Amino acid sequence: VVKISLITITIFAIAITCLHIWFVHNANRLLIDLVNKKSGGKLKLELSRANFDFISSEVKIHKANITSTGSDKTKITYQVSFQKITLTTNSLWSAFFKNSLEIRKIKLYDPVIEVFSRQKDSTVDTKNNLSLGMELGKLYHSAEDAIIALNTHSISLINARLILNNASDQGKKPLVFSNIYFTLKKLNKDGNSPGKYASNNNIMFSSSNQDISFTDGIHQLSFKRLVIQKGRNIMLDSCTIVALPTQESHSSYNIHFKRLALIGVDFNSLYKLNLIKADSVYCVDPITSLNINSAATNGT
């Protein structure tokens, strides 16, 4: 009995070793093919290495990059890099015997999402102009599409950074929005219908300690913490909105809120039209500073 047990353990150990060697040599190709197939050839994945944790059934990818493959320089292109990606799979055996991965959870660590618009004239095609609201909307819809396409349970971005680079803003710094923590969970009902995630409270989004200069070169937004609640409300703590003086108008303003709450936000308008619409707005302890240049106003 002892000999049989030793032989069984030995065979099992050899099988696991062979399986691990197979996975290490094939995981990169499987993941690259998966991204290429699901994106319709529009995205290209490059990664350094991947390994499998037999105990947790996790695939760990180190230092990966995803880039747009489009050649049209007038359109918006993307480049995404990750320090680490963790894929929780349901079974290593399905990867071995079916030559495919079944993914339950995806966690993206320290992703840097860079958006490039090479369009010189912003009046030619307003659809391809850069805006923070639109790009955050695209990020949300990309995660939604990925959950449906991969049939995965959740996707999480941990400490993400979004950078908007616009060719029409030469000499200006890119817009940077960082410290983003975003999780989208699979719906348990409604058949994963697009648009149902936010209304069913299957989204978590937060950021902290931000000082954002918008691409118009005029407006700035800073806050200690931003949270989306119940998929409809935006809460900002210790929030400051600034409008800088321009050549046309030398006036400026600075408004600080202990808390700014936007209730019932229409995220579709924010995503499609770059327009903020809300049912109600609550301001706690607002402090306003106005600097009106009367000479410029009177034209003297």
Side-chain angles (χ1 to χ4, degrees):
V1 176
V2 175
K3 290 183 178 180
I4 294 175
S5 298
L6 289 174
I7 292 173
T8 303
I9 293 172
T10 302
I11 293 174
F12 181 76
I14 293 173
I16 291 296
T17 302
C18 293
L19 193 59
H20 184 266
I21 293 172
W22 175 90
F23 187 86
V24 169
H25 284 82
N26 289 272
N28 288 20
R29 179 180 55 80
L30 288 173
L31 294 168
I32 290 171
D33 291 345
L34 181 65
V35 170
N36 181 69
K37 179 180 178 181
K38 295 300 182 180
S39 67
K42 295 180 180 179
L43 298 176
K44 179 182 178 182
L45 171 65
E46 297 177 346
L47 49 90
S48 57
R49 60 187 175 89
N51 52 53
F52 190 88
D53 189 324
F54 289 90
I55 298 176
S56 62
S57 296
E58 287 184 347
V59 180
K60 295 182 180 179
I61 304 168
H62 303 273
K63 293 186 178 180
N65 293 281
I66 298 177
T67 55
S68 301
T69 57
S71 58
D72 191 345
K73 300 302 182 182
T74 65
K75 299 296 180 65
I76 292 175
T77 57
Y78 297 84
Q79 181 173 322
V80 187
S81 62
F82 311 91
Q83 286 298 315
K84 184 176 70 172
I85 304 175
T86 300
L87 310 176
T88 302
T89 64
N90 63 332
S91 173
L92 177 61
W93 305 106
S94 65
F96 181 69
F97 290 110
K98 298 179 183 179
N99 198 34
S100 64
L101 290 174
E102 297 179 14
I103 303 170
R104 287 187 173 181
K105 296 180 181 180
I106 301 175
K107 290 185 177 181
L108 311 171
Y109 293 87
D110 303 314
V112 178
I113 305 163
E114 288 198 74
V115 189
F116 301 89
S117 175
R118 295 174 175 83
Q119 184 170 273
K120 301 291 184 180
D121 187 357
S122 61
T123 63
V124 174
D125 185 4
T126 56
K127 184 179 180 181
N128 285 310
N129 291 338
L130 288 183
S131 80
L132 181 60
M134 289 182 176
E135 293 307 320
L136 288 174
K138 290 178 183 179
L139 177 63
Y140 161 77
H141 285 287
S142 296
E144 187 181 79
D145 293 341
I147 282 184
I148 296 173
L150 300 175
N151 195 30
T152 189
H153 291 191
S154 68
I155 294 179
S156 297
L157 278 70
I158 301 168
N159 193 32
R161 183 154 50 113
L162 177 62
I163 304 174
L164 306 186
N165 301 277
N166 199 330
S168 63
D169 295 333
Q170 293 183 358
K172 295 182 180 179
K173 294 182 179 180
L175 186 155
V176 180
F177 186 20
S178 60
N179 293 347
I180 299 172
Y181 290 80
F182 170 53
T183 296
L184 194 64
K185 296 182 180 179
K186 180 180 180 180
L187 289 174
N188 295 322
K189 56 182 180 178
D190 298 322
N192 273 350
S193 302
K196 296 285 187 178
Y197 287 83
S199 59
N200 281 270
N201 200 25
N202 283 50
I203 176 176
M204 291 180 286
F205 186 99
S206 68
S207 179
S208 60
N209 301 320
Q210 293 300 291
D211 190 353
I212 302 169
S213 297
F214 288 92
T215 54
D216 61 7
I218 301 172
H219 295 90
Q220 297 177 351
L221 172 67
S222 63
F223 54 82
K224 186 175 181 180
R225 181 168 174 79
L226 180 152
V227 178
I228 294 180
Q229 295 181 345
K230 299 180 180 179
R232 298 186 72 249
N233 308 328
I234 299 178
M235 317 295 291
L236 297 103
D237 291 330
S238 189
C239 169
T240 302
I241 300 173
V242 176
L244 301 173
T246 64
Q247 292 181 350
E248 293 78 15
S249 173
H250 297 278
S251 301
S252 61
Y253 64 80
N254 182 309
I255 308 175
H256 176 79
F257 308 91
K258 182 178 181 181
R259 167 167 284 195
L260 177 63
L262 286 74
I263 309 300
V265 178
D266 186 344
F267 286 103
N268 282 329
S269 294
L270 183 61
Y271 164 56
K272 296 178 180 179
L273 305 175
N274 196 29
L275 177 65
I276 299 176
K277 294 174 62 178
D279 295 336
S280 304
V281 177
Y282 294 92
C283 307
V284 179
D285 296 337
I287 301 175
T288 304
S289 175
L290 297 176
N291 182 12
I292 300 176
N293 191 312
S294 57
T297 304
N298 296 329
T300 59

